[in-house]
Amino acid sequence: MNADTHPLPARRCLLRGALTSATALGAGLTVGAAPATAAPRPRHRPATPAQALRALAAGNARWRAFREEHPDETRAVRQELVAGQHPFAVVLGCIDSRVPPELVFDQGLGDLMTVRSAGEVLDEAVLGSVAYGVLELGIPLVLVLGHQSCGAVRATVEADESGEHLPGHIQYIADRIRPVIDRTRTGEARVDATIDANVRLVRDLVAAEPDLAARVRAGELAVVGARYELTDQRVHRVA
C-alpha cells in the first residue's frame, strides 16, 4: 500500500489527537454554563456489527417500498441529541445527490455518521473522519457505499481511455480510482465493474487502517462494501 492511499502514522496520530482535543475543548466550554444534570439515556442502538447491518437493511426495505418511517425527528429526539450523539453506523459514500444515506436507509437524526467524497475516495481527512466515528464514538459498522452510474468512476474510465487530463482537483479523484479499472471489459460493463472494484478497494483500505483493523479482529467492528442501485433503490453487499 503506497503513501497516496495509506496515511502516514504520524499524520494519522496528529489528526486523531486534534479531533480528541477539539472534543474536550467543546466539553470544557460548557462547564459552569448550567447546573449539572444527568445526561438523558441514549435511545436503543444496534450494539454489534450484525445488528447495525440488519437495521440498515430494514431501513432500505422501507425506502424501496415507499413505507418510510422518517424516524428520530421528534422534538424529544432533537432535545435529547443536544446532550450527545450515539450513531450506530458510519456510511462512507459518494457525493452523488441521488444517494443520500439517511434517506436510502430511512434513518433520522443521530442515527448515522455520514462521510462523503466523489467515488468514496479516501484521503487523510476522509479516513480521519471515519476513524473518529469508530474510535471516539464506538460505532460498530463502517459501510462503504458505492452506487450505480457513478460519475466519478465513469469520468475516470473515460479519461483513462482517451488520455485526457481531468480539470482541477478532479484528476486527484481519478488517480485513486484508476488502479482498479476493470480492463477485462469494455463500454458500460467496464464502468459498472469498476464501480464494484472501487468499493472493494476503499473497503480494504479502511479495514487495513491499524486502529480499525484491531477492532475488526476483536469482533467489535465490521467494514462492509455495498452498492446502491438507482433503478430499484436496492442496497446490496459487494463481496
Side-chain angles (χ1 to χ4, degrees):
M1 192 174 300
N2 59 42
D4 285 341
T5 56
H6 192 75
L8 295 175
R11 296 172 65 195
R12 180 173 62 248
C13 293
L14 178 62
L15 176 61
R16 184 180 174 194
L19 287 168
T20 304
S21 299
T23 303
L25 177 60
L29 291 174
T30 65
V31 174
T37 58
R41 294 182 63 186
R43 288 162 289 148
H44 174 70
R45 280 286 181 268
T48 67
Q51 291 172 0
L53 279 169
R54 285 196 294 269
L56 293 184
N60 180 242
R62 294 193 300 270
W63 167 254
R64 293 169 56 203
F66 297 93
R67 295 180 178 175
E68 300 95 324
E69 295 178 354
H70 304 289
D72 300 328
E73 297 179 0
T74 65
R75 180 186 298 271
V77 167
R78 297 182 197 190
Q79 292 174 341
E80 176 187 320
L81 287 172
V82 173
Q85 60 172 326
H86 305 278
F88 68 84
V90 176
V91 179
L92 170 55
C94 183
I95 60 171
D96 196 294
S97 63
R98 300 167 293 180
V99 195
E102 288 84 358
L103 293 185
V104 303
F105 291 115
D106 191 31
Q107 302 299 320
L109 294 171
D111 295 331
L112 304 180
M113 179 169 283
T114 59
V115 184
R116 302 177 71 177
S117 64
E120 313 91 57
V121 162
L122 288 178
D123 64 9
E124 193 82 9
V126 170
L127 185 55
S129 299
V130 171
Y132 180 82
V134 173
L135 302 176
E136 302 298 329
L137 299 181
I139 293 173
L141 174 67
V142 175
L143 186 77
V144 178
L145 184 63
H147 66 93
Q148 179 184 14
S149 301
C150 179
V153 171
R154 179 178 299 279
T156 299
V157 170
E158 292 178 351
D160 180 74
E161 292 172 348
S162 68
E164 174 190 8
H165 189 278
L166 295 170
H169 296 286
I170 302 174
Q171 187 62 47
Y172 176 91
I173 303 294
D175 287 343
R176 275 137 192 85
I177 298 173
R178 179 176 288 111
V180 294
I181 291 176
D182 189 335
R183 303 185 187 281
T184 67
R185 309 191 188 197
T186 60
E188 288 299 314
R190 173 174 289 184
V191 173
D192 198 66
T194 301
I195 289 169
D196 289 354
N198 185 55
V199 168
R200 295 186 192 100
L201 170 68
V202 176
R203 176 199 63 197
D204 292 349
L205 290 174
V206 171
E209 201 283 334
D211 291 327
L212 303 189
R215 295 208 174 197
V216 171
R217 289 192 298 271
E220 300 169 353
L221 173 69
V223 182
V224 175
R227 169 173 162 147
Y228 178 73
E229 303 298 340
L230 297 174
T231 50
D232 64 4
Q233 296 85 59
R234 180 173 64 101
V235 174
H236 58 94
R237 290 185 68 161
V238 173

